[in-house]
Amino acid sequence: MRKRHNRYSGIGGQAVLEGIMMKNGEQYAIAVRKPDGEIEVEVDTYHSVIHGSKLLKIPFVRGIFNFVDSLILGMKSLNFSSTFYEDEDAKETVVDKALDKVSKDRAEKIFTTLVTVFSLVLAVGIFMVLPYFLTSLFQDYIRNASLMAIIEGVIRIVIFVLYVLAISLMKDIRRVYMYHGAEHKCIDCIEKGRPLTVRNVMRSSKQHKRCGTSFMLFVMFVSIILFFFIRVENPVYKVLLRIALIPVIAGISYEIIRLAGKSDNILVRLISAPGLMLQRLTTKEPDESMVEVAIAAVEAVFDWKKYLYDTFGYEIDDSWLVDDVKPEDEDE
């Protein structure tokens, strides 16, 4: 049997606490496995921070705002999933009441914004500024500016990989990584032209070229290239330059991963390979109950039966869903 290449579906997602968020266009769904075993699904619409602007259609510029949108929606999804696992005995504190009063019951939204901003600042400090300061320790021994730029880039990648590896050892994060695997498997199942069933999803790939892990790795590589060619001498300006170029780096990285999701030529496979390898750390094999949650999230915002008909040219017979098979099923 010939192997069928993945076809771009346009859907994407994110793993959350005991669940998954799936987004299709402006509509998104968060499916969470509640403590009682039931699956809770919330469907809503997310508008970009610059909703309706033509900037969202301009290459390299749109990636900046898509990155911001993903941070905001990601934090919102995490907050929703965490509400099912909060301590029920916890009482509202005086601070909570004061914040609600001052913010007119918008405390949660304000808190989410503050956490998002803090997370972004922390990420910039750890992955952009810290590598520069660590590299500066070698400036008395290495006089070659080009070599210093490469060393800084290597240190940045090492910090990122160590960070991913460290948090993967945490029990709760490991479960999030399993849901991350379920998210990828669902998308891979659909994009390979298979009916979205538990059996088909379980045998699909847990690695995907459009993954956020790959995006972050592209950010690291793009930053090496930019900082290699764009240089200043003043140490203060060097730090400011690294911060100022973040939107540029994000914009370029977005276009690369967008291309990776729509193409399968040899060059794309080569540049995607490091990210797919790193996903071995950030995705784990899910169990069937996790896959059920992922399927619920997908079906809430995406008509996969219509997609299979429009893209692969066949209609879904209900018997296929029972048997978890389809005609002309390809080998992996």
Side-chain angles (χ1 to χ4, degrees), residues 71-89:
L71 287 176
I72 296 173
L73 182 56
M75 190 60 66
K76 184 176 182 179
S77 302
L78 282 170
N79 287 342
F80 174 79
S81 65
S82 66
T83 59
F84 295 99
Y85 291 87
E86 290 177 348
D87 186 358
E88 295 181 356
D89 296 327

Side-chain angles (χ1 to χ4, degrees), residues 187-258:
I187 297 175
D188 183 71
C189 178
I190 294 169
E191 294 184 341
K192 273 196 169 70
R194 297 186 179 126
L196 192 63
T197 63
V198 173
R199 180 173 180 271
N200 284 339
V201 172
M202 288 296 289
R203 67 193 187 97
S204 297
S205 174
K206 64 182 180 68
Q207 295 167 304
H208 201 281
K209 289 186 290 186
R210 287 189 286 118
C211 176
T213 303
S214 294
F215 172 79
M216 289 304 299
L217 202 56
F218 282 139
V219 165
M220 304 298 161
F221 288 133
V222 171
S223 67
I224 292 176
I225 297 172
L226 289 186
F227 297 154
F228 184 88
F229 291 104
I230 304 176
R231 304 174 188 171
V232 291
E233 296 300 324
N234 187 293
V236 176
Y237 290 162
K238 284 184 178 181
V239 174
L240 293 177
L241 178 68
R242 278 149 181 75
I243 297 174
L245 284 178
I246 289 175
V248 179
I249 294 170
I252 296 173
S253 301
Y254 174 80
E255 296 303 323
I256 296 174
I257 202 165
R258 193 169 186 270

Side-chain angles (χ1 to χ4, degrees), residues 173-182 284-287 290:
I173 296 299
R174 183 175 179 82
R175 286 192 63 81
V176 171
Y177 283 175
M178 291 172 73
Y179 275 103
H180 190 193
K284 303 297 181 183
E285 283 294 334
D287 58 37
M290 294 175 175

Side-chain angles (χ1 to χ4, degrees), residues 28-32 39-43 80 84 293 296-297 299-301:
Y28 71 94
I30 310 171
V32 178
I39 299 176
E40 178 80 12
V41 180
E42 177 171 284
V43 180
F80 174 79
F84 295 99
V293 175
E299 293 186 329
V301 293

Side-chain angles (χ1 to χ4, degrees), residues 5 15 29 51 88 111 113 132 145 156 184 192 218 220 246 258 268 270 290 303:
H5 294 300
H51 177 64
E88 295 181 356
F111 178 74
T113 302
Y132 163 70
R156 182 172 291 111
H184 282 193
K192 273 196 169 70
F218 282 139
M220 304 298 161
I246 289 175
R258 193 169 186 270
V268 168
L270 285 174
M290 294 175 175
D303 188 348

